[in-house]
Amino acid sequence: MRGYFAVGVLEISKSRNMGALMRTAHAFGAAYTFSIGSEVTRQQVRQADTSKAELHLPYFDFASLDDMTRPRGMELVGVELTDEAVDLPAFRHPLCAAYVFGRERGSLTGDMQARCQHIVKIPTKFCVNVSVACAITLYDRTLNFGGFPERPLMPGGPQTATDNAEKKFGMHR
């Protein structure tokens, strides 16, 4: 995969959600994870993250939005269900991105949205759990940069040389 990315959440209050978010970020190859104004402690997160992501990638706990930093050139992408947001399937991911997800009991604040270079939304009828939103977003990023071939026109996986020979010579399994 090209580029690098980070995953963070604003004002998270449930350690299990933060642990699941960190595990998901770790599984998809994030450079680091972060929280802004978190209500959970590192100890609580360690207990909830079964992949022990903090041992494999840095975790930054910023006290406030003003304290948040990121590498130069890394674009901030807010994931929020708003009318103005770009639908995730139509979004071209930045090469270097920090994805920030909203609070469990609310949305990304206006200040947070104002700092974002991009706001995207997952086209669902209502909000999903923060770790589910993270997984969907990172899966979309993987498709965006993963170098996968075009999907076949018919249901099923891509054709292999063996499949093509079987069709050409009328062979069946």
Side-chain angles (χ1 to χ4, degrees), residues 1-172:
M1 186 178 298
R2 299 174 26 201
Y4 62 93
F5 65 94
V7 173
V9 65
L10 178 67
E11 299 173 4
I12 197 159
S13 62
K14 297 177 182 167
S15 60
R16 289 179 189 241
N17 282 340
M18 188 66 204
L21 183 120
M22 290 175 74
R23 178 186 171 97
T24 300
H26 181 211
F28 277 98
Y32 66 92
T33 59
F34 64 96
S35 61
I36 306 159
S38 174
E39 295 178 22
V40 299
T41 66
R42 285 178 180 242
Q43 182 61 29
Q44 291 170 321
V45 171
R46 280 186 201 110
Q47 291 172 349
D49 171 24
T50 58
S51 75
K52 304 201 182 321
E54 192 176 3
L55 298 176
H56 304 283
L57 65 156
Y59 167 57
F60 299 98
D61 186 11
F62 302 112
S64 71
L65 188 53
D66 291 332
D67 295 324
M68 188 183 89
T69 60
R70 64 184 187 277
R72 184 171 305 180
M74 182 181 245
E75 295 182 44
L76 194 57
V77 179
V79 181
E80 187 58 64
L81 199 56
T82 68
D83 291 337
E84 301 79 29
V86 175
D87 282 329
L88 186 61
F91 179 66
R92 174 71 57 192
H93 293 261
L95 190 60
C96 301
Y99 299 94
V100 62
F101 297 86
R103 305 174 284 185
E104 297 130 330
R105 297 183 193 127
S107 304
L108 289 176
T109 63
D111 288 345
M112 182 79 247
Q113 289 186 43
R115 292 199 185 193
C116 292
Q117 282 79 25
H118 310 278
I119 304 287
V120 298
K121 65 181 171 185
I122 299 167
T124 55
K125 293 179 183 179
F126 48 85
C127 293
V128 295
N129 176 277
V130 67
S131 63
V132 171
C134 176
I136 292 168
T137 302
L138 297 184
Y139 179 75
D140 190 75
R141 180 182 172 88
T142 300
L143 293 178
N144 190 148
F145 288 119
F148 298 101
E150 289 287 320
R151 293 182 189 232
L153 295 176
M154 301 301 291
Q159 296 287 316
T160 65
T162 303
D163 293 337
N164 291 336
E166 288 173 355
K167 285 181 182 176
K168 183 176 182 179
F169 298 109
M171 300 169 11
H172 299 285

